[in-house]
Amino acid sequence: MNLSLMQSWRRWGGLLALSILLAFLVLIASKQWRLDTSMIQFLPDQKEQETWTIGRDVIDSNLSRQMIISVRPQVADAGLAPTEEKSRLGQEAALVDISQSLATAYRKIPGVSQVRNGPPKDSERQFYELYFPARYGLQSLWPEEEIPATLSPQGLELAAQQLKSELAGPDSLLVRPLAPDDPLQTFLKVGARLQEQLGHSMGVKDGVFISEDSWAILFLSLSDSALDGQAQKRVIEGLSQATEEVERALNLKIERQASGPNLFAVDTEARMRGDMERVSLISILGSLLFVLLLLPSWRKVLYLVLPLVFGFFAAAASILLCFGQLHVITLAFGSALIGIAIDYPAHLVCHADFLGGVGVVRELGRRLRPTLLLAALTTIAGLAGLSWASFPGLQQVAVFASVGLLVALVTSFAALPLLPRRSQPARRARVVASFLSRLVSARRPMLWAVLALASVAALVGPFTAHFAPGIESLAPLNPRLLAEDKLVRERVGVASNSQLLLAKGADVQAALLRNEEAARRLSQLAEKDSTLEWTTISSSIFSNELQERNWRAFGADESPPSWLAEARRAFAQEGFFPDAFPGLQAPFPRPALLDFEQLRSSSFGALLETFLVQTADQVVVVTPLSSEDSEQLEAAFKEEEGLELFSQKRMIDAAYTTLRERTAWLLLLGLGAVWGAAWLRYRVVRFAWAATLPSFLAASATLGVLAFTSQELNLLHILSLVLVCSMGVDYGIFVVDARTSRDASIAGQATMLSTLLGCLTTVTSFGALAFSQAPALAAIGQTTALGVVLALILAPTVATLILPSRVAIN
């Protein structure tokens, strides 16, 4: 009994111990599971990471957690002119009904925190109580220049004439109640400026926002990040369902157009997921088909899969324990790199078949372990360059893949008891292996031609490859959504968030001061750039310092202000009775500052929250802007302390370009380490080149072929070359070691079958991605599938041409 237990332990103990250790690591790591999607992990230096952190907080703030929805009754007859349709449906009345009904329905949707379809209730009274006492302090960004001109004799005469004209015009009902206390109409100027910047290009009908082209407008605030694809998918589905319910209730069709970052996030994720689901199904079925054709045994299939599963969970646990979070790019590329580990169990199972069973393989462990260990170590050496990068994300990829490969290798040996004790290759497997062995040994002229073609492509590739300049090459935005987003924003009069001007300060007042400097600079730039548009909270609130400067420009320090006498004369000249205007009497009203916190706690506070971001150590006031002349904007704010022009796209593009270039250099560094590891193993230069040259040529030739087909390359093409090199090195080592075996003929056939199996599963898994609509996925598929096929062809080709027919390693 004891002997039986001991034998069982010797047989299964390694796998059992590995399973227990892995389960323990996964249990610990699962408690701190966190998936990171931020690009900050792929920015090269601390300064850029700090800027990105601010930008990320801004992008994920209330500024991006918004949707703008415009709706109207659907035009029944596309041939009708808009005026005819408006007349036929009673457009404004229908718009009010639709807006009120949708607002009520949208407020019930989980994930929607607020819906505004009109100004706040009692907003006119609140606006008056907040702004009227502080009106003199909110007149100008340039009080020392503009206010003296307003208070000059000519300016006061113009003010009197304007008041007289407006009292006789259609706005007299609005102007008349305010005129006695505010004859200069300073309060209306503040309101007009606020409406121009923050009130949008809309009117109000029965408490509902209506655009100039007759669309009802609704503003939605979102509870979750706009980039949270799953949460926003539920919101968008809820909006569609709520709209359909309102359509049934009102018995009409509603035309709806929307703007919001969440729309792009959901659309991109849906397209990527659709491709991945389709490709995953094809790759799984295809891989199983090839495995069962060559290794028709479910025990062997289980043996091939187990190292990959163990390697994945061990790698994920190690990243969570070391870094505290797992990046999605690490998960994607790390998983793909671990897929390389199928080479290890495939190599063992094919040798087991050709050499008579798992018992024989164990006896040959002294030879196979060094081969597989070298294959794993050279792959890890190729990743070493990535681990030295200053990009935390690339360091994660390198650690993830290295741990996963090592665990997969250990599992491949520990799980050998899963294989039959005695086995032999399937007839079709023997035929394929024999054919491949003869093919690469009997046609030397053909092999030289293959090597020459690959060498030419490898030499030309790096010099002719054309790289896409920006991140859009990975996931271009849906042009239909872009057009609709632009249309809605233009309809509402809201500047896009393509660029953000960040005004940073230690507190709110300091940030407001910087933002006022930015607003002045933008006003000057707008005189030269007609395409410049921006939205700033300087239209609704000034810093205390600027308010006091405005008050002083009105003579608040004088008693009475010197301009009052001239104002009374100017108004008398226009036929007014100056004594009827308390606003022209001494003493001048005592200065009243508009308190920031008071405004923030009012119903207008949402205007501030949208453009204000509180970070750990500073306050940032955000000004969204857009311009066709980006260079002028960058030059205007390049050297301004406390002001920074932030473009998420520009920063991602710059980081993307740097990441791509550094990754290419690090890949070359890794290839050097691969060659060094091979030389240490063989101690003969010819052998080292025979093992590594196929991977080098395959990677470079892949670039050449892609360049020849006019492909625009991106970061994922470069990262995918890591897969190509890793697989190519494995193939090269397997072929070289097979040629040094005492049973070179049998080992050669087993090696050809195992490399073919690894190649077929890789091509099936990744090749299907080449047909993806997403450029990022297509890049992975094209590069990996093409490169792995080239590596499969070149590994036996190079070994046959470089090494003598009979070789041996001491």
Side-chain angles (χ1 to χ4, degrees):
M1 183 66 178
N2 290 336
L3 180 61
S4 176
L5 286 174
M6 185 174 296
Q7 290 175 341
S8 297
W9 172 253
R10 290 180 60 185
R11 187 179 182 193
W12 298 100
L15 185 60
L16 180 60
L18 188 63
S19 301
I20 294 173
L21 178 61
L22 180 59
F24 178 69
L25 289 176
V26 170
L27 180 63
I28 295 176
S30 63
K31 295 181 179 179
Q32 58 186 61
W33 169 262
R34 182 185 172 194
L35 197 62
D36 185 19
T37 60
S38 171
M39 270 296 294
I40 191 173
Q41 300 295 335
F42 290 87
L43 295 177
D45 57 56
Q46 186 64 28
K47 182 179 184 300
E48 290 186 357
Q49 291 183 17
E50 291 174 354
T51 302
W52 178 266
T53 299
I54 296 174
R56 179 192 59 190
D57 292 341
V58 169
I59 294 299
D60 198 32
S61 68
N62 293 330
L63 187 65
S64 68
R65 296 189 181 195
Q66 285 195 350
M67 292 185 71
I68 305 173
I69 298 180
S70 58
V71 292
R72 69 177 181 183
Q74 192 173 79
V75 178
D77 183 356
L80 290 175
T83 54
E84 295 172 331
E85 180 65 15
K86 180 177 179 179
S87 175
R88 186 171 71 84
L89 294 176
Q91 190 82 340
E92 286 190 351
L95 286 174
V96 171
D97 289 342
I98 291 173
S99 177
Q100 298 287 20
S101 299
L102 287 177
T104 300
Y106 289 169
R107 290 188 181 101
K108 301 176 183 178
I109 298 174
V112 176
S113 60
Q114 185 182 34
V115 178
R116 291 188 299 118
N117 66 325
K121 292 182 179 180
D122 204 18
S123 59
E124 293 182 359
R125 181 187 61 80
Q126 290 188 50
F127 185 78
Y128 177 84
E129 292 176 352
L130 284 169
Y131 283 92
F132 194 81
R135 64 192 183 278
Y136 287 108
L138 300 169
Q139 287 301 293
S140 174
L141 290 168
W142 296 271
E144 292 81 8
E145 293 82 16
E146 292 185 346
I147 292 177
T150 301
L151 301 180
S152 67
Q154 296 81 4
L156 291 170
E157 289 176 5
L158 180 61
Q161 293 168 7
Q162 287 178 340
L163 179 61
K164 184 177 180 178
S165 174
E166 292 189 11
L167 287 173
D171 294 331
S172 61
L173 292 177
L174 175 63
V175 174
R176 191 177 299 276
L178 302 173
D181 291 321
D182 189 25
L184 301 184
Q185 301 185 75
T186 55
F187 175 66
L188 293 180
K189 289 178 183 177
V190 174
R193 185 181 68 231
L194 184 62
Q195 182 177 8
E196 179 183 356
Q197 275 284 303
L198 301 176
H200 316 294
S201 302
M202 299 177 298
V204 177
K205 172 68 176 179
D206 294 337
V208 168
F209 290 134
I210 296 179
S211 67
E212 293 179 355
D213 57 348
S214 300
W215 289 74
I217 307 297
L218 299 94
F219 297 88
L220 276 63
S221 298
L222 306 172
S223 305
D224 302 299
S225 169
L227 303 181
D228 186 341
Q230 291 302 310
Q232 296 310 317
K233 180 182 179 182
R234 291 190 293 268
V235 169
I236 292 172
E237 290 174 349
L239 292 174
S240 298
Q241 294 173 1
T243 303
E244 292 174 0
E245 293 173 2
V246 170
E247 286 179 332
R248 289 192 293 269
L250 297 180
N251 194 27
L252 52 76
K253 285 291 184 180
I254 297 173
E255 185 177 356
R256 180 170 57 122
Q257 294 179 344
S259 166
N262 59 335
L263 298 171
F264 295 99
V266 172
D267 177 74
T268 300
E269 184 175 310
R271 286 188 290 160
M272 295 280 280
R273 184 186 295 111
D275 278 347
M276 286 300 295
E277 290 174 352
R278 182 177 64 256
V279 166
S280 296
L281 179 61
I282 295 173
S283 64
I284 291 172
L285 293 178
S287 297
L288 282 175
L289 176 62
F290 284 124
V291 170
L292 289 174
L293 280 174
L294 297 177
L295 303 173
S297 166
W298 285 105
R299 292 182 66 178
K300 296 175 182 178
V301 172
L302 176 62
Y303 173 73
L304 289 173
V305 171
L306 198 62
L308 306 184
V309 174
F310 274 42
F312 173 83
F313 282 107
S318 66
I319 292 296
L320 290 171
L321 292 174
C322 295
F323 294 89
Q325 59 188 9
L326 179 62
H327 199 280
V328 291
I329 293 180
T330 302
L331 188 63
F333 275 97
S335 300
L337 286 165
I338 289 177
I340 298 170
I342 197 173
D343 290 351
Y344 312 147
H347 196 65
L348 285 167
V349 75
C350 288
H351 276 74
D353 280 352
F354 276 86
L355 297 175
V358 70
V360 178
V361 172
R362 283 182 170 179
E363 294 173 4
L364 297 176
R366 182 177 58 85
R367 178 172 62 85
L368 291 177
R369 278 194 177 88
T371 298
L372 294 178
L373 184 60
L374 178 62
L377 291 179
T378 50
T379 299
I380 293 171
L383 297 169
L386 298 182
S387 66
W388 295 337
S390 57
F391 301 88
L394 287 186
Q395 293 171 355
Q396 275 199 25
V397 171
V399 173
F400 188 102
S402 298
V403 172
L405 288 172
L406 284 177
V407 171
L409 177 62
V410 173
T411 306
S412 297
F413 285 101
L416 279 173
L418 290 174
L419 294 177
R421 296 192 64 83
R422 293 291 174 185
S423 64
Q424 59 182 1
R427 183 174 180 277
R428 66 177 72 93
R430 191 182 295 277
V431 170
V432 170
S434 177
F435 170 76
L436 292 176
S437 297
R438 292 196 306 272
L439 184 66
V440 298
S441 61
R443 309 263 182 137
R444 296 181 72 85
M446 182 186 71
L447 298 184
W448 280 113
V450 169
L451 183 60
L453 287 174
S455 300
V456 170
L459 291 173
V460 171
F463 299 101
T464 58
H466 174 64
F467 290 93
I471 196 71
E472 289 181 353
S473 62
L474 299 182
L477 298 179
N478 188 323
R480 181 188 64 79
L481 290 181
L482 281 172
E484 185 174 314
D485 183 87
K486 181 180 179 181
L487 188 63
V488 172
R489 288 185 175 276
E490 289 177 347
R491 176 176 297 131
V492 177
V494 174
S496 71
N497 298 337
S498 59
Q499 296 187 86
L500 304 173
L501 186 58
L502 310 180
K504 296 175 282 188
D507 53 32
V508 170
Q509 290 300 319
L512 287 175
L513 276 171
R514 294 265 168 74
N515 190 65
E516 288 155 3
E517 175 58 34
R520 286 189 282 268
R521 186 67 58 85
L522 288 171
S523 297
Q524 294 169 347
L525 291 175
E527 297 176 1
K528 305 176 184 178
D529 182 5
S530 60
T531 66
L532 178 60
E533 297 180 352
W534 73 96
T535 305
T536 175
I537 65 170
S538 289
S539 299
S540 59
I541 182 67
F542 285 175
S543 64
N544 290 346
E545 178 181 317
L546 183 57
Q547 291 186 63
E548 290 172 353
R549 288 168 54 197
N550 274 266
W551 277 103
R552 287 195 296 270
F554 274 102
D557 296 336
E558 306 173 27
S559 185
S562 58
W563 58 271
L564 283 179
E566 182 61 33
R568 291 170 61 84
R569 184 198 64 77
F571 276 77
Q573 184 177 323
E574 292 298 323
F576 292 105
F577 294 99
D579 292 339
F581 293 95
L584 297 180
Q585 309 296 323
F588 194 65
R590 187 165 59 90
L593 300 180
L594 178 60
D595 182 69
F596 178 84
E597 292 301 329
Q598 181 186 7
L599 179 61
R600 193 176 193 174
S601 61
S602 71
S603 59
F604 297 95
L607 298 177
L608 301 180
E609 296 296 339
T610 300
F611 303 101
L612 195 71
V613 176
Q614 180 79 51
T615 66
D617 57 352
Q618 61 184 337
V619 176
V620 182
V621 176
V622 183
T623 299
L625 50 84
S626 61
S627 171
E628 295 179 3
D629 191 351
S630 298
E631 293 183 0
Q632 177 180 255
L633 279 176
E634 292 177 12
F637 297 100
K638 188 174 182 180
E639 302 298 333
E640 289 292 333
E641 183 180 358
L643 293 177
E644 185 166 358
L645 190 64
F646 175 82
S647 169
Q648 186 186 36
K649 179 183 180 302
R650 188 179 68 246
M651 176 165 283
I652 292 177
D653 285 350
Y656 163 82
T657 301
T658 304
L659 177 60
R660 188 194 68 217
E661 293 172 352
R662 292 192 188 180
T663 301
W665 283 109
L666 292 172
L667 178 60
L668 292 176
L669 181 64
L671 292 178
V674 166
W675 190 92
W679 183 83
L680 288 174
R681 163 72 169 87
Y682 298 116
R683 299 287 181 165
V684 178
V685 171
R686 181 188 294 186
F687 280 65
W689 278 117
T692 59
L693 186 60
S695 65
F696 301 171
L697 285 178
S700 295
T702 299
L703 283 181
V705 174
L706 293 175
F708 179 77
T709 58
S710 301
Q711 286 277 355
E712 250 195 351
L713 307 184
N714 56 52
L715 171 65
L716 296 186
H717 285 99
I718 299 297
L719 287 177
S720 296
L721 292 179
V722 176
L723 296 171
V724 174
C725 291
S726 299
M727 297 286 279
V729 168
D730 288 355
Y731 296 166
I733 291 170
F734 292 163
V735 170
V736 170
D737 279 14
R739 292 176 65 85
T740 67
S741 171
R742 287 189 296 270
D743 300 316
S745 176
I746 296 176
Q749 292 187 43
T751 297
M752 292 305 301
L753 186 65
S754 68
T755 53
L756 176 65
L757 182 61
C759 178
L760 289 176
T761 55
T762 301
V763 170
T764 304
S765 300
F766 290 96
L769 290 174
F771 302 98
S772 170
Q773 297 178 358
L777 300 180
I780 298 173
Q782 294 165 356
T783 308
T784 306
L786 176 60
V788 168
V789 170
L790 290 175
L792 175 69
I793 296 171
L794 289 170
T797 298
V798 171
T800 301
L801 296 177
I802 289 183
L803 299 180
S805 57
R806 297 288 298 177
V807 295
I809 300 176
N810 295 329

